[in-house]
Amino acid sequence: MATSGVDGDKYRSYLSAEELKTTKWNNGPPNYDVVNKLFEEGRTNIWPAGSLEEKVQNLVKTWEMEIVHKADPNEHKTVDSKKLVIGINGKKFFTLEDIRNIGGSYNLFLQTSLPAPLRLYNPDEESYTSSQTAFTKIFPRGFAVEILQVFSGPPVIAYKYRHWGYMEGPFKGHPPTGELVEMFGTAIFELDGNSKIVKIEFFHDRGELLAGLVKGGASTETSVPGCPFMA
């Protein structure tokens, strides 16, 4: 598994000064200073350096960095870009090409089988730019992730995770509350003989995230009659 670079981000690999210059980025090189501060202030565990938990946490953060920010799938170093498939809640699996076509990671994680009129967030109508812009505004300090527990190590890594942030921006007509919004889930990463990820399955309730974004009420233009926060 990847380990943090000395001259790069302390929680993610492949962000050295040279890699920041030479990698093809979607919107320029990422900077994690703000969300790292949120992570350090809000995490529930500080895993020992070199522990399985610390290594898995680095892998997860690095993989998320790559899928969100790297423009060329061939530059993803945590995965086998030609074999990788990602599934959400035991349903359809997506390739990296599929994920680009549906508009990136938020639209992947917020997949739903709800009818379109009942969707507070409709991934079918969002692009990479619109989804990234929306959640950057909602969580200006970032949406941090930590590993809570690792159930098994490589080649099949199973773990429990927590995502969190503070709603300090509006969401679809719902004003910011400033409150902590959390989302919990489990995931399984399958690695090949070269320690590259080839399969990922996430299990989570997207409503846990979206329910935290609608506490401030809504304008009449964005509310769903008889369904204040269905997710």
Side-chain angles (χ1 to χ4, degrees):
M1 289 186 290
T3 55
S4 298
V6 174
D7 62 340
D9 186 277
K10 56 185 170 180
Y11 301 114
R12 297 164 185 83
S13 301
Y14 314 127
L15 285 174
S16 67
E18 182 63 22
E19 287 164 322
L20 287 172
K21 290 179 184 177
T22 58
T23 302
K24 298 182 183 71
W25 303 105
N26 285 316
N27 289 309
N31 185 302
Y32 284 94
D33 290 349
V34 174
V35 74
N36 283 349
K37 185 174 185 293
L38 176 68
F39 168 72
E40 290 170 352
E41 293 173 346
R43 59 186 166 180
T44 58
N45 292 292
I46 300 178
W47 299 115
S51 66
L52 176 61
E53 291 82 2
E54 192 260 351
K55 290 179 180 178
V56 171
Q57 189 161 261
N58 172 265
L59 176 64
V60 171
K61 287 177 178 288
T62 302
W63 172 79
E64 286 196 345
M65 174 274 293
E66 291 192 313
I67 196 170
V68 172
H69 294 290
K70 288 191 173 182
D72 183 356
N74 294 315
E75 293 188 333
H76 290 217
K77 297 180 180 180
T78 58
V79 308
D80 184 325
S81 60
K82 293 180 173 59
K83 295 180 180 178
L84 179 69
V85 291
I86 304 174
I88 305 296
N89 293 331
K91 297 181 181 179
K92 179 181 176 181
F93 281 85
F94 297 82
T95 65
L96 282 177
E97 182 179 359
D98 293 333
I99 294 167
R100 291 185 68 83
N101 289 338
I102 65 173
S105 57
Y106 280 115
N107 291 337
L108 170 69
F109 294 134
L110 295 176
Q111 287 292 302
T112 180
S113 57
L114 279 173
L118 300 182
R119 298 179 182 183
L120 273 182
Y121 179 91
N122 188 349
D124 295 341
E125 296 178 351
E126 302 287 346
S127 66
Y128 172 85
T129 299
S130 70
S131 62
Q132 290 293 320
T133 299
F135 282 94
T136 298
K137 289 182 177 178
I138 294 166
F139 301 120
R141 286 189 277 165
F143 195 45
V145 63
E146 69 169 331
I147 300 305
L148 298 176
Q149 186 174 0
V150 177
F151 303 108
S152 64
V156 179
I157 302 170
Y159 65 91
K160 180 180 179 180
Y161 64 89
R162 168 185 173 241
H163 263 294
W164 77 97
Y166 288 88
M167 188 193 180
E168 296 168 326
F171 169 71
K172 305 291 185 182
H174 299 268
T177 63
E179 293 184 7
L180 173 68
V181 177
E182 297 179 288
M183 179 181 182
F184 296 83
T186 58
I188 302 171
F189 279 26
E190 293 187 19
L191 279 58
D192 65 13
N194 296 314
S195 296
K196 301 292 186 182
I197 305 167
V198 293
K199 184 179 181 181
I200 300 174
E201 291 188 81
F202 285 102
F203 299 91
H204 59 243
D205 177 5
R206 78 181 215 132
E208 189 175 21
L209 168 61
L210 297 177
L213 302 181
V214 298
K215 289 184 177 180
S219 64
T220 56
E221 289 83 0
T222 59
S223 59
V224 178
C227 181
F229 61 85
M230 284 200 68

